[in-house]
Amino acid sequence: MTITEDRPDTAAPDAEIGKARRRKEDQRLITGRTRWTDNLTVPGMLHLAMVRSPFAHANITSINTDEAKAASGVIDVITGEDIKDVQGVNANAWPITTDQVTPTHLPVAVSRVACAGEIVAVVVARTPAEARDAAELVDVDYEELPAVLDLKEAAADTVIAHPDLGTNKCAFWKLDSAEQGSGGDVEAAIAKARTDGIVIEREYRQQRLIPAFMEPRSVLVDPTGEQMIVWSSTQVPHILRFLIAATMGIPESKIRVIAPDVGGGFGGKLQTTPEEFATIAISRRLGKPCKYTETRSESLLSGHHGRDQWQKLTLSAEKDGTVTGLKVDLLADMGAYVAIVGGGVPVLGAWMFNSIYKFPAYQFNCQTVLTNKTWVDAYRGAGRPEATFAIERIMDELAAELGRDPIEVREQNWITHEEFPFTTVAGMTYDSGNYEAATAKAKELFGYDELRAEQQQRRDSHDPVQLGIGVSTFTEMCGLAPSRILGQLNYGAGGWEHASIRMLATGKVEVLTGSSAHGQGHETAWSQIVADRLGVAFEDVEVLHGDTQIAHRGMDTYGSRSLVVGGEAVVRAADKVIAKAKVFAAHLLEASEDDLEFKAGRFEVKGTDKGLAIGEVALAAFAGHNLPDGAEPSIDADATYDPVNFSFPHGTHLCAMEVDTETGATTMRKYVCVDDIGTIINPLIVEGQIHGGLVQGIAQALWEGAEYDENGTLVTGSFVDYTLPTAADTINYVSDHTVSPSTTNTLGTKGVGEAGTIASTPAVVNAIVDAIRSFGVNDVLMPCTPERVWKAILTGSAKPAEGEREAAPHFDDGAPNQDNPDTSASTQGGAQ
Amino acid sequence: MIPATFDYLAPTSVADAIAALEEHGDEAKVLAGGQSLLPILRMRLNAPGVVIDLGKISELQGVTEDGDDLVIGAMTTYFDVLASDAVSTHAALLNKAIATVADPQIRHRGTIGGALVHADPAGDVGAPALALGASFVIAGPGGATRTVAADDFFEDLFQTAVGEGELLTQIRVPKHTGWGAHYEKFVRVSHQWSIVGIAATVRSEGGAIAEARVGLTNMGSTPLRAKAVEEALVGQPATDEAVRAAVAQVADGTNPPSDLNGDSDYRKHLATVLTRRAVLAAAGA
Amino acid sequence: MTRITVNVDGTKYSDEVEPRTLLVQYLRESLGKTGTVIGCDTSNCGACTVHLDGTSVKSCNMLAVQADGHEVTTIEGLAKNGELHPLQTAFHECHALQCGYCTPGMIMQSCDLLKNNPDPSEQEIREGLEGNLCRCTGYQNIVKAVQQAARQGKESGQQSGQGDADGNPVDLNEAEQTVGATS
């Protein structure tokens, strides 16, 4: 399979932007000299081990720590009771309604646990091994309480996850296009379609997922200096610092948070965690540096999970396929506690279910619900994959109902490129896009018509291996987020980003960004942006981040915001540097500012050969010998950028899946995506983001799902059962781009971090359903395991022609096949 | 996560290992390749007082030929079994099955004997060993050895004929020279344990199946051998239709587990489909 | 405690270790070889992959005492005399890493793969890496990097991935220009 390497030539030949620069970050990563938090040591450092609840819901009746305290190397064993006044609280930053029911989430439980994995005691010891040994000796008595595990049952309030709250219903959030004046009345549209049109009603399940970043989380706290230093494997050093100050009573000025090299996050590390808060409280209590590093099992159990929704959709359309209304009813599991974004995650879907289609009427209802399971928060895409999945699935159902090609039906209903900017029925204004162009390119790369022909041929010949084609024409909202909108939504913080540029005397440049990377390649991409903007060499730019003492202002990295918001802040800081430098340059060149032109890093006096490089101006500022009267001797600059709108990447993803109808096994045959992410800074990094995003989205469709047993124990608690795909399970993807630059930022970028994940899941499931629709199948629950696919075929409403389903079971009609295994060895059965 | 503390012994002979087993009894756990044991110790699902490492007993390693048998030392790694020309030539089924075990790193350390004694029903070595009619040489106290036939080796979930104070030392595999072989492993992701695995090896004569051996992985608490299917295959042409009919009852009498990967009935269904495919592939059809 | 003598990345170490110490813990905690990392507790992820006497093993899945008398090579011993191993270069060149956590294990396993099969097909590469999980890259560029290193090993008339740095290092600037021309 070929990998499409053609990329648009949007940049000047010598421009850094658009160049496939190899990453600056790689050297230490490929040689093993990385600063993961768990690699760090501080003299006198102690190690923590957590004692966690095995029960989903229980009162803690007693904790006996005597034996553990007496064990070798144990400094202390600390319970929630010991630190209840100083441990702070794990806060929800986005109460989606003013009356949201929000249980208090203590880092170390004091009297009751509400999910398995909650911390009930912490052992502090000389070595990690001694801490773990002693943790086994802590004797906790529990009084088990009824646990509510199923989302729909929780919504019925028969068993209550937090009895003191009296209800599991956390918050209800609604968007109605008629009420807010952005569209018509959806009930009227549906009623009309029931008598004179088409109504499609479906319920989809977004299974619970686990982010499963590769680096288990780790936190090291040194409380002994003037500023307490917290090293943490986090996506959000700035937010963590703020919340430590806000909930633990420590002055913000006394806290320094460092996110050293961080091994992936995907939303899973945007939490402020019980483990962080417990480690801080305990290291302060003991006055000693303490480190805690989780095991993979702990990570899967106690790090927040993602998705977990039931989605009811009602779509109305005219008989010709023109959509007239969309109503969405969501049930969203918050788990046992409302996490930092919490209910905000499903609510982000409110503006995305309508997607690229011109629904005249729309309603979105979201009920968030508490259960006795691990808390749920952002996972790559956060709210948008869920919405995209449902709308792209139901658009296929509409096409099937009409008996038409799914792309054709989409095209009939999508916003055409002439219609931008376009204000949607949800109230968002999409600035740019060209769905026709992306789709045309994708179809060509995919060989759409040929694959359709092959599909028909396989159907006609009753091939046991059927072929399906899945379409996903998605959009998403990136660049979180305009602070004013966040304020209207009751979010606890702004959505701006900060950058500083330091012009060093030797002509080198330091760029400080508040957007803290964990694999995305900010150091490289920001260098390219600054190199172009200031006309300096790529190698001369140093990007610093992830330390609140260095990059003191920031809103961190999530929601595909870094480039769109953080990159724009860098651009604006650079422009301020140029403006400051221009004043100095004019003075030094004895010219009027109006006569100066800044080009390729030099201020030149128009029409002369006189000029100064920006580095020379930086040196003059450093010396300060000859500056305009009263001028401050610096050309450094800061910028804080608050976006005015979101950005809206889009794309067309096409997936071909082969389904072995005898076993239900699925095999990906081909995957093509054409994404419009606006201007591309570094095509290599973009490709990498797309590939990784695709596999995470495909993994939701095919492989991953967090499953609990009836006691509330996570049964997919290790990588044996939480089945991440490997290189052997995946293929090469064909990715390409169309470019319609965003109009909401200077660079025209839109964001790419989540696109692959958002788009791919419905493309895969649509392909599987398409392959077996002739068996009367119109849905398969995710992950689409072979068993589920096979059972869907078996129970599909359409009974295939004779001879088509040779794989029909023969073992349940009175066959002598249910023998006790103990006796089977000597029976007449086939197996011995 | 780190295992609980234990004492460590690394005997250099089978006799010393048996003596150590006798001395420590229940407290002891034998460490072969360790690829299943180490995760168990790390998760603290087991906390033996003594670990007896067989890694330094060279007499337990290697593949030799002894007349009509291949003799495989219990501590021979998967990797070394795969590299053995004798195994590829005379017991191709074993080679094919072992090639699917876990991943290369695990195959470098994991041993055939360790896997057989661990007796995980989802492991891929038991079914081919059973199908090939292997016998198992077990050493006991006082230099005693006994040989157990394949049909008697696997007793139950994680339980074999190797008793307390005993060690599996050799696996003797009757040569199946010239037999076609195929191991059909069904998984959702490649590094998974088998959901179902079918080990089939076939001797063809004049376009028909002259003899067949079929073993089933994860279709019950132990590996199983489908003797009725083997008999039904004799004399059949290697055609889809004929093999389909011959293997139709392969799941009868089995009691496979139900889990996230599939329920018992689904596994039974898989076994019928996969056995047909495995036999046809083994017959070169 | 048990005394072990191990040669790691060309240096001999003789230490007392608790028998329960995992090889990866010995490497990280006793020798400061933190380039080798721990990603799971069930031997699925392969992040801890090192070479034991030249073949790849998961260092979280064996005891330090089992390495007694053996040679271990970690990611930190792969580059020789300041020159990156061809696979390290290829991973950089092909953007085969993002967060980089899986990278040491991925590179060590790729080395082993090319040692056993200097000219692997795409499928052979994918299967050869099935014991190593990556959550960032979707594997495509990792496969590409291994292909590049294999190609280079062939062109230079040497097998890359021998566990040493015999392959010719790539001229980064030249390679960058080549790729830049097709992008």
Side-chain angles (χ1 to χ4, degrees):
Chain A
M1 189 167 295
T2 54
I3 304 161
T4 304
E5 295 286 3
D6 299 331
R7 297 186 182 93
D9 184 17
T10 52
D14 55 347
E16 280 295 337
I17 290 179
K19 206 186 245 184
R21 274 285 186 189
R22 300 308 186 268
R23 295 200 318 170
K24 291 183 165 184
E25 292 87 338
D26 289 353
Q27 178 66 23
R28 65 184 184 278
L29 299 167
I30 57 177
T31 54
R33 286 285 87 206
T34 317
R35 286 155 298 162
W36 311 116
T37 301
D38 190 43
N39 288 357
L40 305 175
T41 55
V42 172
M45 181 176 86
L46 303 173
H47 297 268
L48 308 188
M50 304 300 175
V51 179
R52 296 178 183 274
S53 168
F55 298 112
H57 194 191
N59 285 324
I60 303 167
T61 51
S62 73
I63 303 181
N64 186 336
T65 60
D66 295 348
E67 204 184 340
K69 277 180 176 161
S72 166
V74 172
I75 283 75
D76 206 349
V77 180
I78 288 158
T79 65
E81 185 67 31
D82 297 332
I83 52 171
K84 66 178 179 193
D85 299 326
V86 294
Q87 66 171 338
V89 65
N90 292 109
N92 166 236
W94 189 352
I96 55 172
T97 60
T98 49
D99 61 351
Q100 174 176 290
V101 172
T102 313
T104 303
H105 188 184
L106 298 177
V108 181
V110 173
S111 58
R112 189 176 60 91
V113 291
C115 64
E118 261 200 84
I119 303 167
V120 294
V122 186
V123 176
V124 188
R126 176 182 50 176
T127 67
E130 285 169 326
R132 177 40 56 194
D133 289 345
E136 310 279 317
L137 303 173
V138 175
D139 187 13
V140 186
D141 282 334
Y142 297 94
E143 175 199 10
E144 264 195 273
L145 298 170
V148 58
L149 303 165
D150 180 80
L151 178 51
K152 286 183 176 176
E153 278 173 35
D157 269 348
T158 42
V159 176
I160 306 295
H162 295 273
D164 54 318
L165 300 178
T167 179
N168 297 321
K169 295 196 183 75
C170 181
F172 178 76
W173 197 95
K174 180 180 182 181
L175 185 158
D176 184 279
S177 64
E179 283 172 20
Q180 73 172 22
S182 58
D185 179 348
V186 78
E187 298 295 357
I190 294 167
K192 180 167 182 296
R194 284 198 198 282
T195 57
D196 185 28
I198 299 166
V199 177
I200 313 273
E201 292 173 292
R202 292 284 186 276
E203 186 173 34
Y204 295 121
R205 173 79 175 130
Q206 279 285 322
Q207 83 271 36
R208 183 178 273 251
L209 298 179
I210 305 181
F213 35 76
M214 287 314 298
E215 181 210 12
R217 297 168 305 167
S218 179
V219 57
L220 165 59
V221 179
D222 185 352
T224 53
E226 269 309 298
Q227 272 193 326
M228 169 180 75
I229 308 178
V230 179
W231 289 269
S232 185
S233 173
T234 180
Q235 290 174 237
V236 292
H238 298 91
I239 291 173
L240 176 58
R241 184 194 197 202
F242 173 82
L243 282 172
I244 293 167
T247 75
M248 298 187 87
I250 306 171
E252 193 176 352
S253 54
K254 293 287 184 190
I255 306 164
R256 176 183 180 189
V257 176
I258 301 174
D261 286 323
V262 176
F266 317 110
K269 289 178 182 169
L270 63 64
Q271 204 57 252
T272 57
T273 68
E275 291 82 0
E276 287 167 333
F277 282 53
T279 307
I280 292 167
I282 289 167
S283 71
R284 279 163 56 83
R285 177 185 166 102
L286 299 175
K288 294 270 173 54
C290 289
K291 180 156 85 178
Y292 168 73
T293 300
E294 69 186 0
T295 63
R296 175 58 60 187
S297 308
E298 286 178 295
S299 187
L300 295 173
L301 176 63
S302 66
H304 74 244
H305 295 174
R307 315 282 192 261
D308 208 340
Q309 299 179 357
W310 279 106
Q311 313 171 304
K312 266 189 192 166
L313 275 78
T314 308
L315 179 148
S316 60
E318 311 265 8
K319 281 179 177 156
D320 73 349
T322 306
V323 296
T324 59
L326 180 68
K327 186 180 173 196
V328 178
D329 291 290
L330 289 191
L331 265 189
D333 192 350
M334 298 288 93
Y337 297 102
V338 189
I340 189 163
V341 186
V345 172
V347 163
L348 280 173
W351 299 277
M352 286 285 106
F353 274 90
N354 55 301
S355 189
I356 64 171
Y357 309 110
K358 293 181 284 188
F359 286 98
Y362 174 61
Q363 189 183 83
F364 171 90
N365 302 298
C366 174
Q367 176 69 56
T368 61
V369 177
L370 297 161
T371 60
N372 293 114
K373 287 154 85 168
T374 300
W375 52 347
V376 178
D377 208 339
Y379 169 53
R380 202 170 192 172
R384 293 154 291 164
E386 296 91 320
T388 302
F389 176 81
I391 184 65
E392 288 304 296
R393 283 287 295 110
I394 205 165
M395 287 303 285
D396 259 33
E397 296 302 304
L398 174 63
E401 178 72 24
L402 293 162
R404 286 169 53 193
D405 181 278
I407 293 183
E408 193 188 296
V409 174
R410 283 171 170 81
E411 186 164 17
Q412 178 181 349
N413 287 294
W414 71 38
I415 302 156
T416 63
H417 70 275
E418 301 94 349
E419 293 175 282
F420 289 96
F422 183 91
T423 300
T424 72
V425 72
M428 278 285 163
T429 301
Y430 294 176
D431 61 331
S432 69
N434 189 332
Y435 310 138
E436 302 94 312
T439 304
K441 199 169 190 177
K443 280 179 78 171
E444 194 191 324
L445 287 168
F446 190 64
Y448 188 79
D449 296 334
E450 293 84 343
L451 283 165
R452 280 280 180 222
E454 182 185 331
Q455 175 183 39
Q456 192 57 49
Q457 183 268 321
R458 284 181 188 245
R459 239 174 230 177
D460 295 344
S461 67
H462 302 310
D463 194 320
V465 178
Q466 288 289 307
L467 180 69
I469 294 169
V471 180
S472 171
T473 51
F474 83 107
T475 190
E476 55 161 328
M477 48 196 264
C478 289
L480 305 184
S483 297
R484 201 182 299 173
I485 293 180
L486 293 178
Q488 286 162 10
L489 292 172
N490 207 24
Y491 183 71
W496 48 263
E497 194 46 84
H498 185 77
S500 301
I501 294 183
R502 298 174 182 159
M503 299 300 294
L504 306 182
T506 52
K508 310 293 182 191
V509 182
E510 286 179 341
V511 177
L512 282 55
T513 176
S515 170
S516 184
H518 38 283
Q520 294 91 341
H522 289 19
E523 292 167 37
T524 303
W526 275 216
S527 294
Q528 290 178 265
I529 293 169
V530 170
D532 269 5
R533 207 77 189 171
L534 295 181
V536 296
F538 170 78
E539 294 77 13
D540 286 348
V541 183
E542 200 65 37
V543 178
L544 308 172
H545 64 86
D547 180 345
T548 60
Q549 202 174 68
I550 293 169
H552 70 291
R553 280 168 64 78
M555 280 294 178
D556 307 319
T557 289
Y558 44 87
S560 303
R561 69 186 304 272
S562 289
L563 181 58
V564 178
V565 187
E568 181 69 11
V570 168
V571 167
R572 292 184 179 212
D575 287 352
K576 285 186 186 175
V577 167
I578 295 165
K580 281 186 177 181
K582 192 173 194 181
V583 177
F584 291 8
H587 174 82
L588 293 164
L589 293 163
E590 297 174 340
S592 152
E593 281 181 51
D594 296 341
D595 292 336
L596 289 190
E597 193 177 30
F598 184 67
K599 223 169 111 184
R602 286 180 64 81
F603 293 99
E604 286 176 357
V605 184
K606 289 176 204 160
T608 75
D609 58 357
K610 287 205 313 181
L612 273 178
I614 194 159
E616 294 175 282
V617 180
L619 181 61
F622 169 75
H625 298 165
N626 181 19
L627 300 179
D629 290 343
E632 201 180 313
S634 166
I635 58 170
D636 294 353
D638 290 356
T640 304
Y641 171 66
D642 199 341
V644 293
N645 191 4
F646 297 90
S647 60
F648 301 93
H650 71 82
T652 297
H653 289 222
L654 298 174
C655 172
M657 294 293 295
E658 291 179 353
V659 176
D660 177 348
T661 58
E662 286 191 304
T663 63
T666 59
T667 309
M668 189 171 288
R669 165 87 170 270
K670 189 168 193 181
Y671 196 104
V672 167
C673 60
V674 175
D675 288 295
D676 186 337
I677 56 163
T679 306
I680 291 172
I681 306 299
N682 183 323
L684 200 65
I685 291 176
V686 162
E687 290 297 292
Q689 288 289 321
I690 298 267
H691 294 162
L694 286 177
V695 170
Q696 284 184 15
I698 293 165
Q700 174 172 18
L702 297 179
W703 298 299
E704 294 178 23
E707 297 287 345
Y708 286 79
D709 68 11
E710 66 281 4
N711 298 316
T713 302
L714 180 69
V715 292
T716 53
S718 80
F719 279 160
V720 174
D721 297 304
Y722 194 80
T723 42
L724 301 186
T726 71
D729 303 302
T730 49
I731 66 168
N732 281 335
Y733 308 99
V734 179
S735 59
D736 207 334
H737 301 277
T738 54
V739 179
S740 46
S742 168
T743 61
T744 61
N745 64 68
T746 310
L747 298 170
T749 61
K750 294 183 178 178
V752 71
E754 296 161 298
T757 307
I758 292 170
S760 59
T761 312
V764 175
V765 179
N766 278 343
I768 291 171
V769 173
D770 185 52
I772 56 176
R773 198 182 282 282
S774 61
F775 292 87
V777 175
N778 68 19
D779 196 25
V780 179
L781 273 184
M782 295 190 292
C784 300
T785 61
E787 181 189 32
R788 283 177 174 161
V789 172
W790 180 73
K791 287 191 170 167
I793 293 170
L794 205 63
T795 57
S797 58
K799 292 300 165 203
E802 191 63 27
E804 184 166 345
R805 206 169 61 231
E806 295 153 329
H810 58 268
F811 48 75
D812 50 3
D813 291 326
N817 52 27
Q818 305 299 334
D819 299 352
N820 185 316
D822 296 334
T823 59
S824 65
S826 58
T827 61
Q828 72 285 18
Q832 294 192 9
Chain B
M1 192 154 153
I2 187 167
T5 51
F6 51 76
D7 290 333
Y8 173 77
L9 297 173
T12 53
S13 70
V14 170
D16 288 353
I18 301 261
L21 274 173
E22 271 191 290
E23 186 187 339
H24 297 285
D26 280 355
E27 276 292 279
K29 190 84 194 158
V30 171
L31 173 64
Q35 301 304 288
S36 290
L37 181 61
L38 260 292
I40 289 168
L41 298 182
R42 290 179 70 191
M43 307 282 263
R44 301 200 177 200
L45 302 173
N46 196 331
V50 181
V51 167
I52 301 171
D53 180 4
L54 306 184
K56 296 195 169 166
I57 308 179
S58 49
E59 63 188 284
L60 290 178
Q61 295 166 18
V63 181
T64 54
E65 294 181 48
D66 181 12
D68 290 338
D69 283 353
L70 287 178
V71 182
I72 305 174
M75 284 295 288
T76 310
T77 64
Y78 292 123
F79 188 72
D80 287 340
V81 175
L82 287 174
S84 161
D85 287 338
V87 172
S88 310
T89 308
H90 304 297
L93 180 60
L94 203 53
N95 174 289
K96 298 264 168 95
I98 286 180
T100 73
V101 171
D103 56 58
Q105 294 100 309
I106 302 275
R107 294 196 291 270
H108 284 143
R109 293 289 301 167
T111 62
I112 184 168
L116 287 164
V117 177
H118 183 53
D120 189 317
D124 298 304
V125 191
L130 205 53
L132 291 168
S135 55
F136 299 82
V137 181
I138 297 169
T145 63
R146 60 193 181 105
T147 301
V148 174
D151 288 348
D152 302 324
F153 185 73
F154 298 101
E155 295 183 341
D156 205 346
L157 205 64
F158 303 112
Q159 205 175 308
T160 68
V162 179
E164 241 176 70
E166 290 187 318
L167 281 183
L168 174 68
T169 58
Q170 290 178 346
I171 300 98
R172 298 182 71 94
V173 184
K175 288 182 181 175
H176 285 65
T177 317
W179 288 51
H182 186 78
Y183 188 69
E184 184 79 19
K185 178 167 178 165
F186 194 84
V187 286
R188 292 177 49 221
V189 293
S190 68
H191 57 109
Q192 242 183 336
W193 291 85
S194 280
I195 296 171
V196 170
I198 305 294
T201 191
V202 165
R203 186 172 65 80
S204 303
E205 228 174 62
I209 295 170
E211 286 182 273
R213 301 284 179 267
V214 177
L216 316 179
T217 299
N218 212 15
M219 287 297 291
S221 56
T222 67
L224 300 173
R225 183 161 164 195
K227 285 188 180 163
V229 166
E230 292 173 2
E231 282 161 22
L233 283 166
V234 173
Q236 297 296 328
T239 63
D240 187 276
E241 198 183 350
V243 173
R244 183 184 299 267
V247 307
Q249 306 303 316
V250 68
D252 291 359
T254 64
N255 191 13
S258 291
D259 58 28
L260 290 178
N261 295 306
D263 64 20
S264 185
D265 284 350
Y266 176 63
R267 280 189 162 88
K268 289 184 176 189
H269 165 72
L270 277 181
T272 56
V273 176
L274 302 178
T275 303
R276 183 182 87 236
R277 292 180 182 179
V279 169
L280 285 169
Chain C
M1 300 292 255
T2 303
R3 175 155 293 275
I4 60 170
T5 302
V6 192
N7 188 306
V8 181
D9 295 337
T11 302
K12 189 177 120 178
Y13 298 91
S14 193
D15 284 302
E16 294 280 335
V17 296
E18 270 195 285
R20 64 164 163 170
T21 307
L22 305 172
L23 176 59
V24 70
Q25 288 167 327
Y26 174 69
L27 294 172
R28 290 175 56 81
E29 293 166 20
S30 300
L31 307 187
K33 299 269 183 188
T34 52
T36 303
V37 296
I38 303 169
C40 74
D41 31 29
T42 48
S43 84
N44 290 81
C45 85
C48 63
T49 300
V50 299
H51 295 173
L52 183 79
D53 298 334
T55 55
S56 60
V57 299
K58 292 181 174 178
S59 63
C60 80
N61 217 25
M62 65 180 283
L63 303 169
V65 289
Q66 291 179 284
D68 180 33
H70 295 277
E71 265 185 41
V72 175
T73 307
T74 77
I75 185 72
E76 298 182 53
L78 211 52
K80 292 278 159 64
N81 306 319
E83 281 191 355
L84 293 179
H85 185 280
L87 269 162
Q88 290 174 311
T89 309
F91 268 61
H92 171 66
E93 271 298 305
C94 298
H95 187 39
L97 61 147
Q98 291 178 30
C99 86
Y101 198 77
C102 75
T103 307
M106 219 35 113
I107 289 178
M108 296 310 283
Q109 180 52 27
S110 300
C111 252
D112 187 88
L113 191 159
L114 291 181
K115 185 185 77 176
N116 290 313
N117 182 359
D119 189 19
S121 67
E122 182 199 321
Q123 195 53 33
E124 286 169 336
I125 293 171
R126 289 184 173 277
E127 284 170 10
L129 298 176
E130 69 185 342
N132 293 72
L133 296 173
C134 169
R135 194 61 158 165
C136 294
T137 64
Y139 303 105
Q140 186 155 333
N141 287 345
I142 292 175
V143 173
K144 206 165 152 187
V146 177
Q147 286 170 324
Q148 176 173 310
R151 237 185 348 261
Q152 197 200 323
K154 261 196 316 199
E155 280 164 15
S156 66
Q158 297 168 355
Q159 291 178 0
S160 56
Q162 289 287 7
D164 57 34
D166 286 339
N168 291 328
V170 178
D171 180 333
L172 282 186
N173 293 325
E174 196 183 323
E176 189 130 333
Q177 281 162 10
T178 313
V179 178
T182 62
S183 336

